[in-house]
Amino acid sequence: QDQLQQKIICPGPVTCLTASPNGLYILAGVAESIYLWEVSNGNLLAILNRHYQDLTCLCFTDDSSHFLSGAKDCLALVWNLYSVLQAEPSQIPDPRHVWSRHSLPITDLCCGFGGPLARAATASLDQTAKLWEVSSGELLLSVLFDVGIMAVTLDLSEYHMFCGGMDGSIFQVDLCAWPVQRDRTFQTERENGKVFKGHRNQVTCLSVSTDGSLLLSGSHDETVRLWDIQSKQCLKTMNHKGPVTNAFIVLAPANMFNPDGKPSVPLPKFSKHLHGTESNDEQGSEGVTLRLGLHQQESGESYLEKAEKMYSQMYSTREKNLVGDQEHLTIQVSELEEEVSTLRKINKNLFDFSARIITKPAK
């Protein structure tokens, strides 16, 4: 089948890319800059230049309120999306947190569940994986390995952290191990039951299934492997024709099994210039524009006016239904009252008849 494709030219080579879970925004790392686009209309909303070297990874929190960026400058930054959107175009907003505890380039980021209260994991070539608290920015755990870490992920319950090494090994770190230690060393010879062995080159990506039973890994050895987490056995190996750079497990969308399913709204072309700085000639009518509130320059009903009109129609229909139901209920009540009155008369006649028979003197 022919697939709907949209080729979008970016300002430079894209080193990392992610979309917000709510589907409203796209983040891309181009050199040392972070580009933020709005999906519905393709507007470039912000260009963030707070890293000193090329971006390596980007990820959103599950509620799309924050996003994290990692780069070769050994820094991981936490950004508040709404602060970025509200900032003036001439100003570069400050990140909420700057994590500078890594000593070599950051290779991967992973964010757990809980929105701004979530925990985030970072991996680095300095042979450590670190766990952070997004809300306070505090370092919760640092695990030292004997190889550089290229990929990191958390399971759904955040009970385990999985780290992929440069030698092809995948390490399972128990986050609920006792005693609690902020700095921990993962000794492979003592933790044989917590290492996935099979890849022959560096592991580049990791993903855990929603039920926490399967682990997916991609590697530069041109294979993707599916593991059973409990037994550490490889269930399936998928060969590729080149190094695997990204792979993840995702829930199948509902229309995936519909052969006629197509996107209802076409993806617009993404702008190369910040929103509000383009010339009038470059502002075309392509894409979808959502107008919230009253629009100053164009005539016609706004989104809120249409919503209010629709709500008033629904409310009037509801009132009519309520009035109709009330009339029907009144008729039912009157019918039931008549039936009760009839039953009372019958009951009184039966009582009088029984009383006469009982009190009738015997002959």
Side-chain angles (χ1 to χ4, degrees):
Q1 294 181 352
D2 294 333
Q3 298 293 324
L4 181 63
Q5 297 182 355
Q6 174 71 54
K7 186 176 181 180
I8 300 173
I9 306 300
C10 293
V14 176
T15 56
C16 49
L17 182 71
T18 189
S20 62
N22 59 17
L24 298 180
Y25 303 99
I26 289 285
L27 281 175
V30 179
E32 69 276 2
S33 302
I34 304 173
Y35 285 73
L36 173 64
W37 281 282
E38 188 174 5
V39 175
S40 63
N41 50 30
N43 287 335
L44 179 59
L45 302 180
I47 301 176
L48 306 175
N49 296 297
R50 287 301 299 265
H51 284 285
Y52 304 104
Q53 294 186 37
D54 291 355
L55 269 291
T56 57
C57 44
L58 290 163
C59 71
F60 272 95
T61 56
D62 61 330
D63 65 344
S64 305
S65 65
H66 292 72
F67 62 90
L68 288 72
S69 61
K72 293 181 179 179
D73 59 4
C74 315
L75 297 179
L77 307 182
V78 180
W79 302 86
N80 186 319
L81 177 62
Y82 305 111
S83 298
V84 172
L85 295 177
Q86 293 172 2
E88 295 293 333
S90 58
Q91 297 178 348
I92 300 177
D94 293 326
R96 181 172 178 177
H97 300 299
V98 177
W99 293 336
S100 57
R101 301 289 291 272
H102 286 289
S103 57
L104 286 176
I106 292 176
T107 55
D108 197 14
L109 285 168
C110 174
C111 195
F113 288 88
L117 302 178
R119 297 183 295 181
T122 57
S124 173
L125 293 178
D126 63 5
Q127 302 185 359
T128 65
K130 300 183 187 294
L131 192 68
W132 310 80
E133 188 176 48
V134 174
S135 59
S136 64
E138 291 186 3
L139 176 63
L140 302 178
L141 174 67
S142 179
V143 184
L144 177 64
F145 300 88
D146 52 5
V147 295
I149 303 300
M150 301 298 298
V152 65
T153 191
L154 300 167
D155 62 356
L156 199 63
S157 61
E158 298 183 24
Y159 193 84
H160 300 293
M161 180 171 64
F162 299 92
C163 306
M166 292 192 67
D167 62 349
S169 300
I170 302 172
F171 310 102
Q172 176 181 310
V173 180
D174 295 334
L175 299 181
C176 299
W178 189 263
V180 178
Q181 296 175 323
R182 176 167 292 187
D183 296 300
R184 194 187 308 176
T185 301
F186 190 95
Q187 298 178 345
T188 307
E189 61 276 4
R190 296 184 182 178
E191 313 257 11
N192 287 328
K194 298 179 182 178
V195 180
F196 301 79
K197 295 182 178 180
H199 285 297
R200 301 181 305 276
N201 205 332
Q202 66 182 37
V203 178
T204 55
C205 50
L206 295 169
S207 179
V208 182
S209 62
T210 53
D211 62 355
S213 64
L214 301 175
L215 174 68
L216 187 73
S217 62
S219 170
H220 276 188
D221 64 4
E222 303 183 0
T223 64
V224 171
R225 291 178 179 263
L226 189 65
W227 308 83
D228 178 69
I229 293 178
Q230 189 68 28
S231 63
K232 308 293 185 296
Q233 296 298 314
C234 181
L235 303 178
K236 189 174 183 180
T237 301
M238 292 156 278
N239 295 315
H240 289 70
K241 296 181 180 179
V244 178
T245 57
N246 202 1
F248 55 92
I249 299 174
V250 64
L251 294 175
N255 63 348
M256 181 177 178
F257 303 101
N258 181 12
D260 300 326
K262 292 183 179 180
S264 58
V265 178
L267 192 65
K269 293 182 179 180
F270 285 5
S271 174
K272 296 182 182 179
H273 306 280
L274 281 174
H275 179 55
T277 61
E278 307 97 327
S279 63
N280 294 330
D281 296 337
E282 293 178 352
Q283 292 180 349
S285 59
E286 298 181 0
V288 178
T289 302
L290 299 180
R291 292 185 289 119
L292 300 178
L294 297 176
H295 200 270
Q296 301 294 333
Q297 299 177 354
E298 298 182 10
S299 59
E301 288 183 321
S302 68
Y303 174 80
L304 293 181
E305 289 174 339
K306 292 181 180 179
E308 186 176 358
K309 183 179 179 181
M310 184 178 295
Y311 178 77
S312 62
Q313 291 177 351
M314 293 173 60
Y315 189 75
S316 62
T317 305
R318 182 184 174 192
E319 280 186 337
K320 292 178 182 178
N321 291 336
L322 288 176
V323 171
D325 291 342
Q326 192 171 6
E327 293 176 355
H328 183 64
L329 184 62
T330 304
I331 296 173
Q332 281 188 331
V333 169
S334 61
E335 291 177 353
L336 290 174
E337 287 178 348
E338 292 178 2
E339 188 174 354
V340 169
S341 178
T342 303
L343 291 174
R344 282 178 178 174
K345 291 179 181 179
I346 295 174
N347 188 39
K348 186 176 183 302
N349 292 335
L350 287 173
F351 179 79
D352 293 340
F353 178 74
S354 302
R356 285 197 301 271
I357 292 178
I358 294 172
T359 58
K360 186 177 181 181
K363 294 181 179 178

